[in-house]
Structures are given as C-alpha cells and as structure tokens.
C-alpha cells in the first residue's frame, strides 16, 4: 500500500499524538478520520481483489489440464500475494506431472503448506479469520473527548404478533390500493376479420 505525501503527513501527526497525547485542532482530527476511511477502503479493495483472484484460480483449476498455463501463472501471482495453498492446489499440481513449471510450483506449495500446518500446530488452534479493524471514531484530545459517553440502550422486546392478522380497513378519506388487474386491465384479442380475402 502506497501513501501520498499528504497521507504520510497525517499519519506522522496521528502517530505523534498516539505517543504523546495532546489536544488536536478539528482540522487534524478530520484529516485523521479521512485517512482512516482511505485505509479502510484500501483494505476492502484488497479483499475484493484477493477474492477475485482466488475465484479465478478455482475456475482455472477446475478446467485443468486444458488451462494449465493460465492456472500456473495465476497460482504464481497468488503465492506472491501471500496465498496459502490448500489440498485442492496440491492435488491439481499433482495432476500436471511432467510440466516443469508445475513440478517447481508443487515443491514450493508443499513447502508452504507444511510450514502453515506446523505454525497452526504450534499455536494449538485452527486458523481463524482475522478480526476486522475497529473504526477510528475519535482521537485523544479531539472533539469527542469533551462529550459525555452515551449509555448503552437496551433493546425493547418486540410485541407478540397476532396469530391471524386482520386486514386493515382504509381510513376515512383514504383510497384503497388498487389491484394490478384494476390498473392494468387484460388485453382484448382483436376480433377476426368479418370477410375473407379471395386468393388471387
């Protein structure tokens, strides 16, 4: 992810405030919020691109062996982007026996898969999706520091629904909603011609 000069300036100020809390002008708070929005959008876009790449990879994998060249190219791109190959990739690469690029990628994917399994076993748990990054709502010393925190509201219990709801009668002065057959009457078929044409 690349930052513009302005974004780096805002990021540097935000980090300085995080290390040494001090009141911030409203403009700096707004800059930090815009930067947080930009980062959120960039991470969402990266997620969309990753999902697209993995869907493309699955399509090419399902079309093997005819799509071997495209599949291997996409797999190399996915591995360069940090993709952790699973059993489906290993099985697909094993079907490409004799393909030089496929053989090299199989060795690389086996190494990556083994490393991934060892890391999971070392942690003692199954892999989980990373928690979404919390939105930046306020910075220390910003406008939100002066405002009292709202108390959490309890949700009211919904009223029980009647077993058989009765249709409501229209209120006086209100017109009832017309039925589609009233608004769009059925088309009439044209009457057949009364006289027949003579051939000739």
């Amino acid at each position: 992810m690349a930052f513009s000069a302005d974004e780096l300036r805002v990021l540097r100020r935000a980090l300085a405030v995080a290390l040494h809390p001090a009141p911030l002008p409203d403009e700096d708070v707004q800059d930090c919020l815009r930067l947080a929005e930009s980062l959120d959008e960039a991470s969402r876009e990266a997620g969309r691109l990753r999902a697209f790449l993995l869907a493309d990879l699955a399509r090419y994998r399902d079309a093997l062996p005819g799509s071997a060249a495209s599949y291997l190219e996409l797999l190399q791109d996915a591995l360069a982007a940090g993709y952790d190959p699973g059993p489906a990739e290993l099985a697909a690469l094993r079907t490409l026996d004799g393909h030089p690029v496929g053989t090299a990628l199989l060795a690389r994917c086996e190494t990556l898969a083994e490393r991934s399994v060892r890391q999971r076993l070392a942690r003692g748990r199954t892999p989980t999706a990373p928690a979404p990054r919390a939105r930046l709502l306020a910075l220390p010393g910003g406008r939100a520091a002066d405002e009292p925190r709202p108390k959490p509201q309890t949700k009211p219990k919904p009223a029980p629904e009647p077993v058989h709801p009765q249709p409501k009668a229209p209120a006086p002065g209100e017109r009832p909603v017309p039925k589609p057959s009233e608004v769009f009457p059925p088309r009439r078929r044209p009457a057949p011609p009364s006289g027949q044409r003579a051939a000739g």
Side-chain angles (χ1 to χ4, degrees):
M1 186 179 303
F3 292 104
S4 70
D6 286 336
E7 289 171 335
L8 283 174
R9 179 182 50 78
V10 171
L11 184 60
R12 191 176 309 123
R13 278 196 324 242
L15 290 173
V17 168
L19 292 173
H20 306 287
L24 284 175
D26 283 349
E27 181 183 329
D28 288 350
V29 172
Q30 292 302 319
D31 286 345
C32 290
L33 291 174
R34 277 192 293 275
L35 178 62
E37 258 180 51
S38 297
L39 289 173
D40 287 342
E41 180 57 33
S43 65
R44 284 191 297 270
E45 181 64 22
R48 285 191 292 267
L49 287 174
R50 179 180 170 85
F52 177 77
L53 177 67
L54 294 181
D56 232 11
L57 188 65
R59 266 194 304 277
Y60 281 104
R61 181 178 58 232
D62 293 341
L64 284 174
S67 63
S70 299
Y71 171 71
L72 294 173
E73 184 180 334
L74 275 176
L75 182 58
Q76 286 175 333
D77 291 345
L79 292 174
Y83 175 60
D84 194 13
E89 307 306 337
L90 297 174
L93 288 170
R94 287 186 184 112
T95 64
L96 298 175
D97 191 26
H99 197 288
V101 177
T103 305
L105 275 176
L106 176 61
R108 182 176 173 196
C109 286
E110 285 174 339
T111 303
L112 290 172
E114 184 179 335
R115 184 182 321 150
S116 174
V117 169
R118 286 177 192 242
Q119 287 174 352
R120 282 188 300 225
L121 290 175
R123 284 186 297 222
R125 59 184 173 92
T126 58
T128 57
R133 188 175 73 79
R135 288 201 38 84
L136 178 62
L137 298 177
L139 294 173
R143 287 184 295 177
D146 300 332
E147 299 173 6
R149 291 187 176 202
K151 294 181 181 176
Q153 297 178 353
T154 58
K155 293 183 181 178
K157 294 183 180 179
E161 295 184 15
V163 177
H164 298 289
Q166 299 296 326
K168 293 181 181 179
E174 273 189 36
R175 292 177 41 193
V177 177
K179 297 178 185 173
S181 61
E182 295 170 346
V183 176
F184 304 105
R187 293 176 55 184
R188 306 262 186 239
R189 292 188 179 194
S194 58
Q196 294 185 348
R197 290 183 151 178

